[in-house]
């Protein structure tokens, strides 16, 4: 079959492997495995489906505590980089992006972990930078309250600077490996970073060479003002939440403008909104599938989840009344801004009840949900892409792996025929998939470098 000419830009598609699927009841579907959330084989199967369809990457979220209602739903349990290493070993081209919090890790560990993943995957790794806003996680690390929002992001900014400097502490040609002369490493090309900052003191260098991509791709997911600043300063892809083209376009333009003000090329920051999909052969079948999935979710679960997003007591939500008036940011602004704002955006200007909101969110989450035929899903994706609202999407199928297979079989061919999505990979690294350049190594090893290594005493 002849392929249409490649346009200047094409969509980027990732799949967010949310254990059994985006819809909380997905694990209850016939044939679903309730234990899949702790089975590497489940995630590998999803990754292989995505790779066969030429997706850019698989993505794994993470939590440092149990924050879901475990009496009903599977949780994010397996550590992302360990699981992504297993996925990388059984795939060849698809990117592997994992989440790691700057709130409860140290820069050296994260730099080493993701550099290792980039090496073992042959240049396919990405790090999703997050701060952590929930109290259970704080208590797992010896704190009795969540650190202040601004302080979390100040730490995240310095944390990321240190990680980048560590990734850059080896020059590209530092490994000599000359058996005849006996010279293995040119140690004049391996540099300490000598970082001394408000939050971290890290001498460096990293204990492994520069990675195939130069450095793993930096991803960020945050909708607050501080989150946008962090994204504009460091991120190469941003996972956002939006329900309308207007807000998505405004967000993308704002990030690009701030990146440009910081001396970066706006095209270097890809904006990928989250998109949940429920697909049927007809619109009626898709709506029936949605209703069946929602009907398997206890209302008590959905109410508690929505209350958590909004930062209000569960008792303040009445299924048959609108949301409370004048909602403020959760925990005095110290909670999750992204899903709070996305949920309010969904209902703004509309007559609704709490029941309506829960059904629209398919269980209380914050991302946009598309329900329809492959043609309807493809039409909406094309509309957002051509309107400049997104560079692509972080997909969250209703159930996994079946919902992803529905998207791959039904939607991907339509996007390909419209010239919006690739027929095959053109490169082998995640940077190449995303159209991102390989960062140049600094001869000095990055900011605050003090020169070449000294021999051990």
């Amino acid at each position: 079959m002849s392929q249409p000419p490649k346009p200047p830009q094409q969509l980027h598609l990732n799949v967010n492997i949310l254990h059994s699927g985006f819809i909380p009841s997905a694990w209850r579907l016939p044939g679903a495995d309730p234990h899949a959330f702790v089975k590497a084989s489940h995630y590998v199967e999803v990754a292989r489906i995505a790779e066969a369809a030429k997706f850019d990457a698989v993505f794994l979220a993470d939590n440092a505590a149990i924050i879901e209602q475990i009496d009903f739903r599977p949780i994010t349990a397996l550590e992302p980089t360990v699981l992504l290493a297993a996925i990388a070993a059984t795939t060849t081209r698809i990117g592997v992006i994992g989440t790691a919090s700057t709130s409860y890790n140290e820069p050296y560990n994260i730099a080493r972990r993701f550099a290792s993943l980039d090496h073992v995957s042959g240049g396919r790794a990405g790090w999703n930078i997050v701060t952590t806003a929930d109290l259970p996680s704080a208590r797992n690390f010896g704190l009795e309250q969540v650190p202040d929002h601004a302080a979390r992001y100040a730490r995240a900014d310095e944390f990321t600077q240190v990680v980048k400097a560590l990734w850059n502490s080896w020059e590209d040609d530092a490994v000599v490996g000359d058996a005849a002369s006996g010279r293995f490493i040119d140690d004049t090309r391996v540099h300490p970073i000598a970082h001394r900052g408000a939050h971290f003191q890290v001498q460096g260098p990293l204990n492994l060479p520069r990675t195939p991509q130069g450095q793993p791709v930096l991803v960020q997911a945050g909708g607050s003002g501080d989150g946008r600043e962090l994204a504009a300063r460091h991120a190469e892809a941003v996972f956002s939440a939006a329900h309308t083209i207007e807000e998505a376009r405004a967000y993308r333009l704002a990030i690009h403008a701030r990146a440009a003000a910081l001396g970066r090329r706006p095209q270097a920051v890809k904006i990928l909104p989250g998109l949940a999909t429920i697909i049927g052969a007809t619109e009626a079948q898709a709506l029936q599938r949605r209703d069946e999935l929602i009907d398997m979710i206890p209302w008590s679960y959905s109410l508690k989840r929505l209350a958590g997003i909004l930062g209000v007591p569960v008792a303040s939500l009445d299924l048959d009344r609108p949301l409370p008036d004048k909602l403020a940011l959760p925990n005095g602004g110290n909670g999750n801004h992204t899903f709070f704002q996305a949920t309010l955006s969904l209902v703004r200007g509309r007559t609704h009840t709490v029941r309506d909101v829960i059904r629209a969110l398919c269980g209380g989450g914050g991302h946009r949900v598309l329900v329809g035929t492959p043609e309807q899903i493809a039409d909406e994706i094309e509309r957002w892409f051509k309107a400049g609202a997104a560079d692509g999407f972080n997909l969250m199928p209703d159930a996994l792996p079946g919902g992803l297979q529905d998207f791959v079989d039904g939607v991907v061919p339509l996007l390909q025929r419209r010239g919006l999505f690739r027929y095959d990979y053109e490169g082998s690294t995640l940077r190449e998939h995303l159209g991102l350049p390989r960062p140049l190594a600094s001869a000095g090893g990055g900011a605050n470098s003090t020169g070449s290594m000294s021999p051990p005493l």
Side-chain angles (χ1 to χ4, degrees):
M1 180 178 63
S2 62
Q3 300 176 9
K6 180 184 174 184
Q9 289 185 310
Q10 287 189 302
L11 279 163
H12 300 290
L13 294 176
N14 301 326
V15 59
N16 184 354
I17 310 181
L18 287 168
H19 30 80
S20 296
F22 175 77
I23 309 298
S25 58
W27 66 276
R28 300 183 68 187
L29 288 171
D33 180 359
H35 303 284
F37 77 114
V38 287
K39 289 184 176 179
S41 58
H42 169 71
Y43 297 85
V44 166
E45 181 181 2
V46 174
R48 285 176 170 168
I49 293 170
E51 183 172 63
K54 317 306 177 187
F55 276 41
D56 293 72
V58 298
F59 167 69
L60 295 181
D62 193 34
N63 296 308
I66 295 175
I67 61 173
E68 279 283 357
Q69 301 170 56
I70 59 174
D71 61 330
F72 175 69
R73 188 186 189 185
I75 58 174
T76 301
L78 296 173
E79 198 282 322
T81 56
V82 172
L83 182 52
L84 290 172
I87 290 173
T90 57
T91 56
T92 59
R93 304 290 280 280
I94 195 164
V96 285
I97 302 172
T99 299
S101 174
T102 60
S103 301
Y104 305 117
N105 283 293
E106 290 292 321
Y108 194 93
N109 299 67
I110 294 303
R112 185 184 185 203
R113 195 179 305 166
F114 281 90
S116 297
L117 183 61
D118 205 45
H119 277 291
V120 302
S121 67
R124 295 185 279 145
W127 169 36
N128 180 40
I129 308 162
V130 300
T131 70
T132 303
D134 65 275
L135 184 57
S137 293
R139 288 176 171 169
N140 281 344
F141 290 88
L143 303 178
E144 283 305 314
Q145 60 184 12
V146 176
D148 175 74
H149 187 275
R152 293 201 313 272
Y153 276 92
R155 175 186 168 97
D157 179 48
E158 185 181 338
F159 191 114
T160 307
Q161 292 179 47
V162 175
V163 168
K164 290 161 71 174
L166 287 166
W167 284 339
N168 200 37
S169 61
W170 289 59
E171 296 180 41
D172 280 322
D173 53 358
V175 179
V176 179
D178 187 343
S181 68
R183 193 177 195 197
F184 188 65
I185 301 290
D186 181 351
D187 61 0
T188 67
R189 298 182 182 276
V190 182
H191 311 277
I193 67 170
H195 178 87
R196 302 293 181 269
H199 299 89
F200 305 106
Q201 297 187 25
V202 182
Q203 182 64 18
L206 198 60
N207 65 340
L208 73 167
R210 205 153 188 260
T211 75
Q213 294 188 104
Q215 64 183 41
V217 172
L218 290 170
V219 181
Q220 196 267 349
S224 68
D226 291 328
R228 294 183 184 203
E229 179 69 19
L230 184 69
R233 190 173 297 278
H234 298 292
E236 296 167 292
V238 178
F239 295 158
S240 60
H243 287 277
T244 69
I245 279 183
E246 292 73 24
E247 65 178 305
R249 187 194 292 117
Y251 179 89
R252 184 169 180 261
L253 290 173
I255 294 292
H256 284 178
R258 182 57 185 149
L262 293 168
R264 301 183 65 198
R265 293 184 310 108
Q267 299 87 343
V269 186
K270 311 296 183 183
I271 308 300
L272 309 171
L275 181 64
T277 55
I278 304 174
I279 301 172
T282 66
E283 184 176 1
Q285 288 180 7
L287 290 169
Q288 181 181 355
R289 179 177 173 86
R290 180 201 64 183
D291 291 344
E292 289 173 350
L293 284 164
I294 292 174
D295 288 344
M296 288 192 289
I297 307 171
W299 286 107
S300 59
Y301 169 90
S302 297
L303 280 168
K304 186 174 181 180
R305 189 176 185 197
L306 181 59
I309 289 172
L310 299 176
V312 299
V314 176
S316 70
L317 300 179
D318 184 323
L319 283 170
D320 297 309
R321 296 181 63 84
L323 291 178
D325 294 329
K326 298 180 181 179
L327 289 166
L329 283 166
N331 195 21
N334 208 27
N336 188 306
H337 291 211
T338 303
F339 290 142
F340 174 84
Q341 299 290 3
T343 301
L344 293 191
S345 169
L346 176 66
V347 302
R348 191 173 292 122
R350 301 178 184 179
T351 302
H352 67 275
T353 65
V354 169
R355 193 187 306 272
D356 295 332
V357 175
I358 288 172
R359 294 191 75 85
L361 294 173
C362 292
H367 284 291
R368 185 174 184 232
V369 183
L370 282 182
V371 185
T373 65
E375 290 79 8
Q376 290 172 317
I377 303 294
D379 288 347
E380 278 297 286
I381 288 174
E382 180 176 11
R383 189 167 71 92
W384 277 50
F385 181 61
K386 289 187 173 179
D391 295 291
F393 295 91
N394 201 31
L395 292 174
M396 294 169 288
D398 53 357
L400 292 170
L404 176 61
Q405 192 68 63
D406 292 341
F407 186 95
V408 165
D409 292 342
V411 180
V412 168
L414 296 174
L415 298 175
Q416 290 171 329
R417 288 198 289 271
R418 298 177 191 187
L420 299 174
F421 191 64
R422 65 173 70 92
Y423 280 88
D424 203 355
Y425 293 112
E426 296 183 2
S428 60
T429 70
L430 179 55
R431 289 188 172 277
E432 290 172 313
H433 302 341
L434 291 169
L436 297 170
R438 186 181 189 275
L440 297 174
S442 167
N448 301 324
S449 173
T450 59
S452 61
M453 290 185 63
S454 300
L457 299 176

